[in-house]
Amino acid sequence: MHVKDVFLLVRPFTLLAPFIAVLFGTIFQLAWYDELDIFWNEILKIIAAALALAAAQAVGQIINQVEDVEIDKANGKDYRPIASGRMRIEEAQIIAWIFAVFALLVSYPISIPYGIFITIFLLFGVFYNIEPFRFKKRLWINTLSLAISRGLLPLPAAWSVFGNVGDTVPWLIGSIMAVWVLAWQNTKDIDDIEGDLKYGVVTPAAYHGIKNLARIIAFLSFLSFFLLFIYINTNMISKEMATLFILAIPTAWMLYKLYTQDFEHGSLENNDLWAAYYLTLAGFYIIAAATYLIRPYITLFS
């Protein structure tokens, strides 16, 4: 087993969004509370929290590969460490335990609510991959579970590092991201239809086909931004959050690529739509934080 194989096992590109979720989610929360002076004093705590969530996601990625060796081979992913035979399942399981223990040991001292969130994220990784739950093989339950764990919960989790998890703002914005993730998480399965069907994993991509799935994704994408519109117009969130509509631009580009089926297998393991999904998801946190960072200057000159 080589360090490179451990690196590939955790699929580091997928860990970018949870790390950014906590880093920029805490900035958003501190700016909301007008407590940004805390940030640099607590930067190590924030980085530790971000690493804990990234580690929790890494556990899910490892369990997925442990449970799906034959599916990975059928889908042409024998470049992965376990499927290629370069790493034994037992070795991968030990690495998963190390990441899980790290996530738990780091998260609970940060705050009890944050530790509970990390525990929930770890459980979602187990439930998604392992029988008798095995959400992965159950149509739309698979994607819905990821929409909750990767869309709805990360911002409230980041908010709980310093703020009140009972605040409505992170949950409302999280609900927008949940619908958006429900749409675009499906991009990871587009290249895997043949192998998934062979082993009884009924993903939306396998069940509906790409053309019908594209229509569903378009509807859910519209619904996510419609939710944003409703929240702003009913004053549930502030009008400054209209900056999140910027993300309709990459979403529209992704829809065009999906409808024309103009996407390729990229250098980041999956197709380029999948890469765009993770980058745009990270954009929700970055734009929300940036909006509240510049809000005092907008108020000053308005």
Side-chain angles (χ1 to χ4, degrees):
M1 181 176 61
H2 298 285
V3 173
K4 181 181 177 181
D5 289 328
V6 176
F7 187 77
L8 292 173
L9 182 71
V10 301
R11 303 179 66 200
F13 183 73
T14 67
L15 310 186
L16 180 65
F19 186 90
I20 287 176
V22 176
L23 179 61
F24 285 90
T26 54
I27 293 173
F28 180 26
Q29 179 268 315
L30 291 172
W32 183 276
Y33 280 28
D34 195 23
E35 295 177 345
L36 273 171
D37 55 304
I38 293 176
F39 180 79
W40 288 112
N41 292 330
E42 298 286 356
I43 186 64
L44 293 179
K45 182 177 181 178
I46 293 168
I47 291 174
L51 289 173
L53 184 55
Q57 177 142 326
V59 172
Q61 299 290 2
I62 296 170
I63 295 174
N64 180 266
Q65 293 172 71
V66 166
E67 295 297 319
D68 292 351
V69 178
E70 296 305 319
I71 296 177
D72 282 346
K73 291 178 181 177
N75 286 327
K77 295 182 178 179
D78 50 5
Y79 51 83
R80 288 181 170 178
I82 303 175
S84 67
R86 299 192 309 273
M87 180 181 294
R88 292 184 291 111
I89 287 176
E90 294 78 10
E91 292 174 323
Q93 289 171 329
I94 291 171
I95 295 169
W97 274 109
I98 292 171
F99 275 105
V101 171
F102 169 83
L104 292 171
L105 289 179
V106 168
S107 60
Y108 276 96
I110 288 171
S111 78
I112 296 300
Y114 190 68
I116 292 171
F117 272 114
I118 292 297
T119 303
I120 292 170
F121 288 125
L122 289 169
L123 288 174
F124 264 102
V126 171
F127 294 158
Y128 183 79
N129 290 292
I130 295 177
E131 297 288 3
F133 310 100
R134 188 71 163 154
F135 292 162
K136 178 175 180 174
K137 72 178 184 182
R138 308 182 195 284
L139 180 62
W140 282 107
I141 292 177
N142 38 33
T143 313
L144 179 61
S145 69
L146 294 174
I148 294 171
S149 62
R150 298 181 182 179
L152 176 63
L153 296 180
L155 185 55
W159 204 270
S160 74
V161 172
F162 298 110
N164 181 4
V165 73
D167 291 343
T168 59
V169 170
W171 293 99
L172 290 172
I173 296 177
S175 69
I176 294 167
M177 289 190 284
V179 177
W180 194 88
V181 171
L182 184 63
W184 290 102
Q185 181 68 42
N186 291 294
T187 55
K188 75 178 180 62
D189 300 316
I190 290 174
D191 297 334
D192 300 341
I193 292 175
E194 184 177 346
D196 286 345
L197 287 176
K198 181 179 178 180
Y199 287 93
V201 176
V202 187
T203 63
Y207 183 84
H208 297 288
I210 295 177
K211 287 186 178 180
N212 287 330
L213 181 63
R215 298 187 184 98
I216 296 170
I217 289 176
F219 170 74
L220 291 172
S221 298
F222 170 78
L223 181 59
S224 65
F225 289 106
F226 183 68
L227 274 178
L228 175 60
F229 173 79
I230 292 297
Y231 292 161
I232 291 172
N233 278 270
T234 55
N235 296 315
M236 296 176 74
I237 59 176
S238 64
K239 62 181 181 298
E240 286 87 356
M241 284 291 95
T243 53
L244 292 175
F245 281 113
I246 294 170
L247 295 169
I249 297 172
T251 300
W253 175 81
M254 292 161 69
L255 281 170
Y256 170 78
K257 299 275 283 186
L258 182 60
Y259 268 94
T260 59
Q261 297 190 34
D262 178 25
F263 49 87
E264 300 175 350
H265 186 91
S267 59
L268 294 170
E269 182 173 324
N270 216 310
N271 61 68
D272 49 6
L273 276 180
W274 173 85
Y277 153 70
Y278 269 104
L279 293 173
T280 307
L281 179 59
F284 278 94
Y285 302 100
I286 295 170
I287 290 175
T291 299
Y292 269 78
L293 283 174
I294 66 172
R295 186 184 188 189
Y297 302 100
I298 295 173
T299 304
L300 181 64
F301 291 103
S302 63

